[in-house]
Amino acid sequence: MSEYNLEQSHGMRVVHDGPREAPPLLLIHGSGFSGGSWSPVVPALAGHHHVIRVDLPGCGQSPPARSYDVPVQAGRLAAMLDDLGLRRVTTVGHSSGGYIATALAEQRPDLVRSLALISTGPSLDALLPQPLILRVPHAWTSPWSRTHPSP
């Protein structure tokens, strides 16, 4: 296991496992955890992947940050991946790390090859407003649909 520390520029401790030439796999922990929480699964993953684990700001061995907003944290991860020259990264987020992983995929689709979310529920601000057609009251539907429901 080798460490590549970017604390000065991005406020995160970064740990690499596995061959650098293997497909990259980014592991993002949830609130109250650190990159070390992935340790039990790293041996199984590092044989075939370049595993990148981060300690998000204020977690593990990373210093606190001014902002913990999800888009800001995703931006830090994007900058870190850019610095490493990595593209098309399989990205895994656990719990609130899934929000950050999703924001990273939204902000920088060029960086995220695929996305896996573990124990991540939807964030209320992630819900999109329903289109008008779905908000039309039942009274405005045709008499036929009220008397002949779909199977």
Side-chain angles (χ1 to χ4, degrees):
M1 178 170 69
S2 62
E3 294 183 13
Y4 181 71
N5 193 333
L6 296 174
E7 282 184 23
Q8 298 303 319
S9 58
H10 304 295
M12 295 179 295
R13 177 175 180 254
V14 181
V15 177
H16 298 265
D17 298 281
R20 297 276 179 133
E21 64 278 358
L25 173 65
L26 174 63
L27 303 176
I28 308 169
H29 63 82
S31 297
F33 291 94
S34 70
S37 63
W38 296 101
S39 294
V41 298
V42 168
L45 299 171
H48 302 285
H49 294 89
H50 170 195
V51 179
I52 303 112
R53 295 180 284 157
V54 297
D55 285 348
L56 294 170
C59 299
Q61 295 183 29
S62 294
R66 288 186 184 158
S67 173
Y68 295 97
D69 289 343
V70 169
V72 172
Q73 295 205 58
R76 286 185 189 110
L77 287 173
M80 182 264 305
L81 293 172
D82 284 339
D83 285 353
L84 294 172
L86 296 175
R87 294 286 179 272
R88 302 196 35 81
V89 176
T90 297
T91 304
V92 180
H94 172 252
S95 188
S96 61
Y99 301 154
I100 298 167
T102 302
L104 176 63
E106 290 173 340
Q107 287 178 19
R108 295 288 305 277
D110 60 307
L111 294 178
V112 179
R113 176 177 181 251
S114 57
L115 188 61
L117 306 176
I118 302 167
S119 298
T120 299
S123 172
L124 293 180
D125 60 351
L127 299 176
L128 300 176
Q130 290 184 334
L132 179 62
I133 193 72
L134 296 177
R135 291 185 277 146
V136 174
H138 181 72
W140 293 358
T141 59
S142 75
W144 176 261
S145 64
R146 286 192 302 264
T147 59
H148 297 86
S150 300

